[in-house]
Amino acid sequence: MINVLFSARPALWDEYAAPLQDAFAQAGLTVSLSREHAPEDVDYIVFAPNGPVKDFTPYARTRLVMGLWAGVETIVGNKTLTQPLARMVDPALTQGMVEWVVGHTLRHHLGMDAHIAGQDGVWRNTVYPPLAQDRSVTVLGLGALGAACGSALAQLGFAVTGWSRSPKQIAGLRCLSGDDGLSRALDGAEIVILLLPLTPKTENTLDAARLALLAPGAYVLNPGRGGLIDDDALIAALASGHVAGATLDTFRTEPLPADHPYWAHPAVVVTPHIASTTRAASASQVIAENVRRVEAGDAPLNLVDRAAGY
Ligand code: NDP
């Protein structure tokens, strides 16, 4: 019998208990899934930061902690966590992010707001939107989410540049890496999409100097993490008009405080960290596969590199 502890807020237990049981059974695993296992009996932990486990010290025999979320910035620095940590890479989460990114990119690309806001009886038929091939889009982060979003935008015809830490080759994308690559990726970009993890190295990636590299009238989309942007620099760039608008899904403080300038800013759209989420059915398959792998003596999928922070 394999003991799996589910440590996340109670509503998630209601969502995940049945799909996880099904996925373990399909994987041929005999699992006792519970929120109650004694720490010394736990083989695996399904984990969200909003759950009861904060101190991993008593979980001496735990072989793998499996996060439910893609981002790990709130757990990666937990000094009591000495067990291996896997983060979530879920095809349905990726699909949701692709849809959010494509939707908000097309909104800015097509200038939809001009028509939505201007239903005033005036026939403005002189301005046609450019084609995607004439729009430069830069995706910062080419991991599970950034690569999928960049590829979807490239398939629509956008001129997509991507940036990552290690060099990559992705069909249809101009892929850059390293510090020099970042300046080149941002230089003249008309739409920038942030899909980096938040780490000490990525904090304030979009600061005043880097915002200045963007094309005048650029748009910023941030479904990554709030700390990737220097907020004061973005607000200044919006005030000067150098950045025409931003669609922000993630913030340094969440929920975004009601008096934060982003809420009232006419050029900023706030979405409340809903760009995408892990879906129980597909994520349960990923979790079961990771347990199967560890039980078989294989390396788990999606292991977090503690030193890199993601
Ligand atoms: P991955 O770990 O798969 O990808 C991260 C990417 O960022 C990789 O390409 C990595 O480079 C790159 N990167 C990391 N550090 C640096 C650096 N210092 N310089 C340059 N590139 C760097 O993550 P995911 O794609 O799965 O997720 C990305 C983020 O999206 C999550 O961390 C989370 O913050 C956010 N997210 C937001 C959601 C929302 O609803 N708003 C939902 C889910 C996730 P390399 O490939 O070389 O390692």
Side-chain angles (χ1 to χ4, degrees):
M1 179 68 77
I2 302 162
N3 289 332
V4 177
L5 177 73
F6 188 88
S7 176
R9 67 185 156 83
L12 290 177
W13 172 255
D14 299 338
E15 207 180 313
Y16 277 84
L20 277 172
Q21 303 276 20
D22 290 349
F24 289 135
Q26 279 167 26
L29 299 164
T30 306
V31 168
S32 166
L33 175 69
S34 170
R35 292 180 288 178
E36 310 284 329
H37 288 306
E40 61 274 18
D41 296 335
V42 171
D43 298 304
Y44 298 88
I45 302 177
V46 175
F47 174 84
N50 54 27
V53 176
K54 311 286 181 205
D55 179 358
F56 293 86
T57 317
Y59 296 90
R61 87 174 208 196
T62 299
R63 299 205 275 285
L64 182 65
V65 176
M66 298 172 286
L68 284 175
W69 311 147
V72 292
E73 72 280 359
T74 58
I75 183 188
V76 77
N78 184 329
K79 297 225 178 331
T80 70
L81 178 61
T82 53
Q83 302 84 344
L85 171 67
R87 62 185 203 93
M88 181 51 67
V89 176
D90 163 27
L93 178 141
T94 302
Q95 175 63 24
M97 184 60 79
V98 167
E99 293 177 11
W100 187 95
V101 164
V102 168
H104 287 280
T105 299
L106 286 174
R107 170 182 161 230
H108 293 308
H109 168 62
L110 296 174
M112 289 181 182
D113 293 18
H115 299 288
I116 293 168
Q119 300 290 297
D120 53 5
V122 179
W123 190 253
R124 297 180 182 86
N125 69 337
T126 52
V127 179
Y128 289 84
L131 291 176
Q133 67 200 37
D134 299 319
R135 182 78 73 190
S136 58
V137 178
T138 288
V139 182
L140 301 185
L142 290 175
L145 301 179
C149 292
S151 296
L153 292 168
Q155 277 166 22
L156 284 172
F158 286 102
V160 181
T161 297
W163 179 69
S164 55
R165 197 161 64 115
S166 55
K168 299 224 183 299
Q169 286 191 323
I170 301 173
L173 270 63
R174 179 175 73 129
C175 294
L176 302 172
S177 58
D179 289 346
D180 166 58
L182 179 58
S183 307
R184 289 167 58 213
L186 294 176
D187 189 17
E190 295 174 273
I191 298 177
V192 178
I193 300 154
L194 291 121
L195 276 168
L196 294 161
L198 183 61
T199 71
K201 288 237 166 76
T202 62
E203 186 163 16
N204 291 325
T205 293
L206 223 44
D207 60 10
R210 299 209 179 102
L211 284 164
L213 296 172
L214 305 181
Y219 289 90
V220 173
L221 271 58
N222 187 11
R225 282 294 180 261
L228 299 172
I229 296 180
D230 175 337
D231 291 322
D232 292 340
L234 178 59
I235 287 169
L238 287 161
S240 74
H242 182 66
V243 171
T247 301
L248 308 175
D249 186 60
T250 54
F251 306 90
R252 281 168 195 269
T253 304
E254 295 182 5
L256 186 66
D259 60 352
H260 195 284
Y262 283 149
W263 280 116
H265 201 295
V268 175
V269 166
V270 170
T271 63
H273 204 138
I274 47 71
S276 192
T277 192
T278 308
R279 316 284 159 147
S282 48
S284 295
Q285 305 281 337
V286 175
I287 288 166
E289 170 61 10
N290 253 350
V291 173
R292 191 198 64 72
R293 281 174 170 256
V294 175
E295 290 296 307
D298 297 332
L301 301 169
N302 315 319
L303 270 185
V304 171
D305 175 344
R306 303 289 176 83
Y310 70 99

